[in-house]
Amino acid sequence: MAQLATTIGAFHFDNVLMNASGVHCYDLTQLHELEQSEAGSLTTKSATSAKRLGNPEPRYAKLALGSINSMGLPNEGLDYYLDFALTHQQQLPDQPIFMSIAGLTLEDNIAMAQKIEASDFAGLTELNLSCPNVPGKPQVGYDFDRTKYVLDTIFEFFTKPLGVKLPPYFDLAQFDEMAAILNQYPLVYVNTINSLGNGLWVDPTDDTVVIKPKGGFGGIGGQYAKPIALANVRAFSQRLKPEIQVIGTGGIYNGRDVYDLILCGASMVQVGSALYEEGPSIFARLKQELAAEMQAHGYHSIEDFRGKLKIMDAEA
């Protein structure tokens, strides 16, 4: 039987699959459904300091090959998710989880990180540098100087396991520059990618955009994102120091999709658009399909093929 277990830092997970932050993790009902699913772990909704209602509806639309959304960080606030995480930790101590934070300002991120630092939370914290759907707020991950300043500030006091969620990059020089920055810090992992920011879709029946916020601009996910996710996972796996692992997110609909992200270097894989459409039962299917894909290639564990993407030799 194929073994789907993996590790991130010092944390062990029964399998590589989990939800993408923002999908099926808004409230306790959804979080408990993830707990009871066959996911290897879960992450909470990216939290702000206080509860946010998010952007006006409609803010999500299914597309032919994925989705477009401009949710605007609707969430119940950090305290809500920290309470859940501490309860989960007490009841299921052998199932570590992730907590995601996405402050609207650096001061918000500092305050939330300080609260987590002072708490008994012993899992992994994720700093979201890549939310593309809050009107008027730029993605920190595209400002390299700002990214460095944020990480300098957080690591002045934060000592618990920390990872960062990154936006998609599209140029080799961007991979080089961001990796050089990230390698300066004691990060446990990077999570790549967030949705493809500020796409747009037109409803052909009435020539109207399909979501209301930001004049119809929103993050693109699903199959549209897979090639970009593969490239970002591959690029950062090649450039980051070995202590910083990669979580791959984007375009997961079947076991082969999971396999491909691992092949490019991912140690865990998050599911977004397909989870939104199919619900937490998707994890059981993906586990079976991934195991079948591994067995077809003669692999017994994730580490047998992680990062072992084949490339073509350059012509002489």
Side-chain angles (χ1 to χ4, degrees), residues 110-166:
I110 291 172
M112 289 191 289
Q114 287 175 333
K115 184 169 286 190
I116 294 171
E117 175 77 10
S119 76
D120 291 329
F121 179 62
L124 297 111
T125 301
E126 180 167 287
L127 177 61
N128 189 341
L129 301 177
S130 59
C131 183
N133 298 317
V134 176
K137 299 294 181 180
Q139 293 193 56
V140 173
Y142 285 139
D143 183 334
F144 295 146
D145 290 338
R146 183 66 174 173
T147 295
K148 190 174 188 309
Y149 182 72
V150 168
L151 292 175
D152 282 341
T153 305
I154 294 294
F155 277 114
E156 285 179 358
F157 64 89
F158 199 79
T159 63
K160 295 184 176 183
L162 182 72
V164 291
K165 180 73 172 284
L166 299 176

Coordinates of all heavy atoms in Angstrom, one line a residue, residues 110-166:
I110 N 1.1 42.1 13.9 CA 1.9 42.1 15.1 C 1.0 41.7 16.3 O 1.4 40.8 17.1 CB 2.6 43.4 15.3 CG1 3.7 43.7 14.3 CG2 3.2 43.5 16.7 CD1 4.3 45.1 14.3
A111 N -0.1 42.4 16.4 CA -1.0 42.1 17.6 C -1.5 40.6 17.6 O -1.5 40.0 18.6 CB -2.2 43.1 17.5
M112 N -1.8 40.1 16.4 CA -2.3 38.8 16.3 C -1.2 37.8 16.6 O -1.4 36.8 17.3 CB -3.0 38.5 14.9 CG -4.3 39.2 14.8 SD -5.2 38.7 13.3 CE -4.2 39.4 12.0
A113 N 0.0 38.0 16.0 CA 1.1 37.1 16.2 C 1.5 37.1 17.7 O 1.9 36.1 18.3 CB 2.3 37.5 15.4
Q114 N 1.4 38.3 18.4 CA 1.7 38.3 19.8 C 0.8 37.5 20.6 O 1.1 36.9 21.6 CB 1.8 39.8 20.2 CG 3.0 40.6 19.8 CD 2.9 42.1 20.1 OE1 1.9 42.6 20.3 NE2 4.1 42.7 20.2
K115 N -0.5 37.6 20.2 CA -1.5 36.8 20.9 C -1.3 35.3 20.8 O -1.4 34.5 21.7 CB -2.9 37.2 20.4 CG -4.1 36.5 21.2 CD -5.4 37.1 20.9 CE -5.6 38.5 21.5 NZ -7.0 39.0 21.4
I116 N -0.9 34.9 19.6 CA -0.6 33.5 19.3 C 0.6 33.1 20.1 O 0.7 32.0 20.7 CB -0.5 33.2 17.8 CG1 -1.8 33.4 17.1 CG2 0.0 31.8 17.6 CD1 -1.8 33.4 15.6
E117 N 1.6 33.9 20.1 CA 2.9 33.7 20.8 C 2.6 33.5 22.3 O 3.2 32.6 22.9 CB 3.9 34.8 20.5 CG 5.1 34.7 21.3 CD 6.1 33.7 20.8 OE1 5.9 33.2 19.6 OE2 7.1 33.4 21.4
A118 N 1.7 34.3 22.8 CA 1.5 34.2 24.3 C 0.5 33.1 24.6 O 0.3 32.7 25.8 CB 0.9 35.5 24.7
S119 N -0.1 32.4 23.6 CA -1.1 31.4 23.9 C -0.4 30.0 24.0 O 0.8 29.9 23.9 CB -2.1 31.3 22.8 OG -1.6 30.7 21.6
D120 N -1.3 29.0 24.3 CA -0.8 27.6 24.3 C -0.8 26.9 23.0 O -0.6 25.7 22.9 CB -1.6 26.8 25.4 CG -1.4 27.3 26.8 OD1 -0.2 27.8 27.1 OD2 -2.3 27.2 27.6
F121 N -1.1 27.7 21.9 CA -1.2 27.0 20.6 C 0.2 26.5 20.2 O 1.2 27.2 20.3 CB -1.7 28.0 19.6 CG -1.7 27.4 18.2 CD1 -2.6 26.4 17.9 CD2 -0.9 27.9 17.1 CE1 -2.7 25.8 16.6 CE2 -1.0 27.4 15.9 CZ -1.9 26.3 15.6
A122 N 0.2 25.2 19.9 CA 1.5 24.5 19.6 C 1.5 24.0 18.2 O 2.4 23.2 17.9 CB 1.6 23.3 20.6
G123 N 0.6 24.4 17.3 CA 0.6 24.0 15.9 C 1.5 25.0 15.1 O 2.4 25.6 15.5
L124 N 1.0 25.1 13.8 CA 1.8 26.0 12.9 C 0.9 27.2 12.6 O -0.3 27.2 12.4 CB 2.0 25.2 11.6 CG 2.9 24.0 11.7 CD1 2.2 22.7 11.4 CD2 4.1 24.1 10.7
T125 N 1.6 28.4 12.5 CA 0.9 29.6 12.2 C 1.3 30.0 10.8 O 2.5 29.9 10.4 CB 1.4 30.7 13.2 OG1 1.0 30.3 14.5 CG2 0.7 32.0 12.8
E126 N 0.4 30.5 10.0 CA 0.6 31.0 8.7 C 0.3 32.5 8.5 O -0.8 32.9 8.8 CB -0.2 30.2 7.7 CG 0.0 30.6 6.2 CD -0.6 29.6 5.2 OE1 0.0 28.5 5.1 OE2 -1.6 29.9 4.6
L127 N 1.3 33.2 8.1 CA 1.1 34.6 7.8 C 0.8 34.8 6.4 O 1.6 34.5 5.5 CB 2.4 35.4 8.2 CG 2.5 36.9 8.0 CD1 1.4 37.6 8.8 CD2 3.8 37.4 8.3
N128 N -0.4 35.3 6.1 CA -0.9 35.5 4.7 C -0.4 36.8 4.2 O -0.9 37.9 4.6 CB -2.4 35.4 4.7 CG -3.0 35.3 3.3 OD1 -2.3 35.7 2.3 ND2 -4.2 34.9 3.1
L129 N 0.6 36.7 3.2 CA 1.1 37.9 2.6 C 0.5 38.2 1.2 O 1.0 38.9 0.4 CB 2.6 37.8 2.4 CG 3.4 37.5 3.7 CD1 4.9 37.3 3.4 CD2 3.3 38.7 4.7
S130 N -0.7 37.5 1.0 CA -1.1 37.4 -0.4 C -2.6 37.5 -0.7 O -3.1 37.0 -1.6 CB -0.6 36.1 -1.0 OG -1.2 35.0 -0.3
C131 N -3.3 38.2 0.2 CA -4.7 38.3 -0.1 C -5.0 39.4 -1.1 O -4.7 40.6 -0.9 CB -5.5 38.7 1.2 SG -7.3 38.8 0.9
P132 N -5.5 39.0 -2.3 CA -5.7 39.9 -3.4 C -7.0 40.6 -3.5 O -7.3 41.3 -4.5 CB -5.5 39.0 -4.6 CG -6.1 37.7 -4.2 CD -5.8 37.6 -2.7
N133 N -7.9 40.3 -2.5 CA -9.3 40.7 -2.7 C -9.9 41.6 -1.7 O -11.1 41.7 -1.4 CB -10.2 39.4 -2.7 CG -9.8 38.5 -3.9 OD1 -9.6 39.0 -5.0 ND2 -9.7 37.2 -3.6
V134 N -9.0 42.4 -1.0 CA -9.5 43.4 -0.1 C -9.3 44.8 -0.8 O -8.2 45.2 -1.1 CB -8.7 43.4 1.2 CG1 -9.1 44.6 2.1 CG2 -8.9 42.1 2.0
P135 N -10.4 45.5 -1.1 CA -10.3 46.7 -1.8 C -9.4 47.7 -1.1 O -9.5 47.9 0.1 CB -11.7 47.2 -1.9 CG -12.6 46.0 -1.8 CD -11.8 45.1 -0.9
G136 N -8.4 48.3 -1.9 CA -7.6 49.3 -1.4 C -6.3 48.8 -0.6 O -5.5 49.6 -0.2
K137 N -6.2 47.5 -0.5 CA -5.1 46.9 0.2 C -4.2 46.1 -0.7 O -4.7 45.1 -1.4 CB -5.6 46.0 1.3 CG -6.4 46.7 2.4 CD -5.6 47.7 3.2 CE -6.4 48.3 4.3 NZ -5.7 49.3 5.1
P138 N -3.0 46.5 -0.9 CA -2.1 45.8 -1.9 C -1.6 44.4 -1.3 O -1.6 44.3 0.0 CB -0.9 46.7 -2.0 CG -0.8 47.5 -0.7 CD -2.3 47.6 -0.3
Q139 N -1.2 43.6 -2.1 CA -0.6 42.3 -1.7 C 0.9 42.6 -1.2 O 1.7 43.0 -2.0 CB -0.6 41.3 -2.8 CG -2.0 40.8 -3.2 CD -1.9 39.6 -4.0 OE1 -1.3 38.5 -3.7 NE2 -2.5 39.6 -5.2
V140 N 1.1 42.3 0.1 CA 2.5 42.5 0.6 C 3.5 41.7 -0.1 O 4.6 42.2 -0.4 CB 2.5 42.2 2.1 CG1 3.9 42.2 2.7 CG2 1.6 43.1 2.9
G141 N 3.1 40.5 -0.6 CA 4.1 39.6 -1.2 C 4.6 40.1 -2.5 O 5.6 39.6 -3.0
Y142 N 4.1 41.2 -3.1 CA 4.6 41.8 -4.3 C 5.5 42.9 -4.1 O 6.1 43.5 -5.0 CB 3.5 42.2 -5.3 CG 2.8 41.0 -6.0 CD1 1.4 41.0 -6.2 CD2 3.5 40.0 -6.5 CE1 0.8 39.9 -6.8 CE2 2.9 38.9 -7.1 CZ 1.6 38.9 -7.3 OH 1.0 37.8 -7.9
D143 N 5.6 43.3 -2.8 CA 6.5 44.4 -2.4 C 7.6 43.8 -1.6 O 7.5 43.5 -0.4 CB 5.7 45.5 -1.6 CG 6.6 46.7 -1.2 OD1 7.8 46.5 -1.1 OD2 6.0 47.7 -1.0
F144 N 8.8 43.5 -2.2 CA 9.8 42.8 -1.6 C 10.4 43.5 -0.3 O 10.7 42.9 0.7 CB 10.9 42.4 -2.6 CG 10.4 41.5 -3.7 CD1 11.0 41.6 -4.9 CD2 9.5 40.5 -3.4 CE1 10.5 40.8 -6.0 CE2 9.1 39.7 -4.4 CZ 9.6 39.8 -5.7
D145 N 10.5 44.8 -0.4 CA 11.1 45.5 0.7 C 10.1 45.5 1.9 O 10.5 45.3 3.0 CB 11.3 47.0 0.3 CG 12.5 47.2 -0.6 OD1 13.4 46.3 -0.6 OD2 12.5 48.2 -1.3
R146 N 8.8 45.6 1.6 CA 7.8 45.5 2.6 C 7.7 44.1 3.2 O 7.6 44.0 4.5 CB 6.4 45.9 2.1 CG 5.3 45.9 3.1 CD 5.5 47.0 4.1 NE 4.3 47.1 5.0 CZ 4.3 47.9 6.0 NH1 5.3 48.7 6.3 NH2 3.2 48.0 6.8
T147 N 7.9 43.1 2.4 CA 7.9 41.7 2.9 C 9.0 41.5 3.9 O 8.8 41.0 5.0 CB 8.1 40.7 1.7 OG1 6.9 40.8 0.9 CG2 8.3 39.3 2.2
K148 N 10.2 42.0 3.6 CA 11.3 41.9 4.5 C 11.1 42.7 5.8 O 11.4 42.2 6.9 CB 12.6 42.4 3.8 CG 13.9 42.1 4.6 CD 15.1 42.5 3.8 CE 16.4 42.0 4.5 NZ 16.5 42.4 5.9
Y149 N 10.5 43.8 5.7 CA 10.2 44.6 6.9 C 9.2 43.9 7.8 O 9.4 43.9 9.0 CB 9.7 46.0 6.5 CG 9.4 46.9 7.7 CD1 10.4 47.4 8.4 CD2 8.1 47.2 8.0 CE1 10.2 48.2 9.5 CE2 7.8 48.0 9.1 CZ 8.8 48.5 9.9 OH 8.6 49.3 11.0
V150 N 8.2 43.3 7.2 CA 7.2 42.6 7.9 C 7.8 41.4 8.7 O 7.6 41.2 9.9 CB 6.0 42.1 7.0 CG1 5.1 41.1 7.8 CG2 5.2 43.3 6.6
L151 N 8.6 40.6 7.9 CA 9.2 39.5 8.5 C 10.3 39.9 9.6 O 10.4 39.2 10.7 CB 9.9 38.6 7.5 CG 8.9 37.9 6.5 CD1 9.6 37.1 5.4 CD2 8.0 36.9 7.3
D152 N 11.0 40.9 9.4 CA 11.9 41.4 10.4 C 11.2 41.7 11.7 O 11.6 41.4 12.8 CB 12.6 42.7 9.9 CG 13.8 42.4 8.9 OD1 14.3 41.3 8.9 OD2 14.1 43.4 8.2
T153 N 10.1 42.4 11.5 CA 9.3 42.8 12.7 C 8.7 41.6 13.4 O 8.7 41.5 14.7 CB 8.2 43.8 12.2 OG1 8.8 44.9 11.5 CG2 7.4 44.3 13.4
I154 N 8.1 40.7 12.7 CA 7.5 39.5 13.3 C 8.5 38.7 14.0 O 8.3 38.2 15.2 CB 6.7 38.7 12.2 CG1 5.5 39.5 11.7 CG2 6.3 37.3 12.8 CD1 4.4 39.7 12.6
F155 N 9.6 38.4 13.4 CA 10.6 37.6 14.0 C 11.4 38.2 15.1 O 12.3 37.6 15.8 CB 11.6 37.0 13.0 CG 11.0 35.8 12.2 CD1 10.7 35.9 10.9 CD2 10.7 34.6 12.9 CE1 10.1 34.8 10.2 CE2 10.2 33.5 12.3 CZ 9.9 33.6 10.9
E156 N 11.1 39.5 15.4 CA 11.7 40.1 16.6 C 11.2 39.4 17.9 O 11.9 39.4 18.9 CB 11.4 41.6 16.7 CG 12.3 42.4 15.7 CD 12.0 43.9 15.7 OE1 11.0 44.2 16.5 OE2 12.6 44.7 15.0
F157 N 10.0 38.8 17.8 CA 9.4 38.3 19.0 C 8.8 36.9 18.8 O 8.6 36.1 19.8 CB 8.3 39.2 19.6 CG 7.1 39.4 18.7 CD1 6.0 38.5 18.7 CD2 7.1 40.4 17.7 CE1 4.9 38.7 17.8 CE2 6.0 40.6 16.9 CZ 5.0 39.7 16.9
F158 N 8.4 36.5 17.6 CA 7.7 35.3 17.3 C 8.7 34.1 17.3 O 9.6 34.1 16.5 CB 6.9 35.4 16.0 CG 5.8 34.4 15.9 CD1 4.6 34.6 16.6 CD2 5.9 33.2 15.2 CE1 3.5 33.7 16.5 CE2 4.9 32.3 15.1 CZ 3.7 32.5 15.8
T159 N 8.4 33.1 18.1 CA 9.3 32.0 18.2 C 8.7 30.6 17.8 O 9.3 29.6 17.8 CB 9.9 31.8 19.7 OG1 8.7 31.6 20.6 CG2 10.6 33.1 20.1
K160 N 7.4 30.7 17.6 CA 6.7 29.4 17.2 C 6.8 29.1 15.7 O 7.2 30.0 14.9 CB 5.2 29.5 17.6 CG 5.0 29.7 19.1 CD 3.6 29.7 19.6 CE 3.4 29.7 21.1 NZ 2.0 29.6 21.6
P161 N 6.5 27.9 15.3 CA 6.6 27.5 13.9 C 5.8 28.4 13.0 O 4.6 28.5 13.2 CB 6.2 26.1 13.9 CG 6.4 25.6 15.2 CD 6.1 26.7 16.1
L162 N 6.4 29.0 12.0 CA 5.7 30.0 11.2 C 6.0 29.7 9.7 O 7.1 29.4 9.3 CB 6.2 31.4 11.5 CG 5.5 32.6 10.7 CD1 4.1 32.8 11.2 CD2 6.3 33.9 10.8
G163 N 4.9 29.9 8.9 CA 5.1 29.8 7.4 C 4.4 31.0 6.8 O 3.7 31.8 7.5
V164 N 4.6 31.2 5.5 CA 4.0 32.4 4.9 C 3.2 31.9 3.6 O 3.7 31.0 2.9 CB 5.0 33.5 4.5 CG1 5.6 34.1 5.7 CG2 6.1 32.9 3.6
K165 N 2.1 32.5 3.4 CA 1.3 32.3 2.2 C 1.7 33.3 1.1 O 1.6 34.5 1.4 CB -0.2 32.3 2.5 CG -1.1 32.1 1.3 CD -1.1 30.6 0.9 CE -2.2 30.4 -0.2 NZ -3.6 30.3 0.4
L166 N 2.1 32.9 -0.1 CA 2.6 33.7 -1.1 C 1.6 33.9 -2.3 O 0.9 33.0 -2.6 CB 3.9 33.2 -1.6 CG 5.1 33.1 -0.6 CD1 6.3 32.4 -1.3 CD2 5.4 34.4 0.0

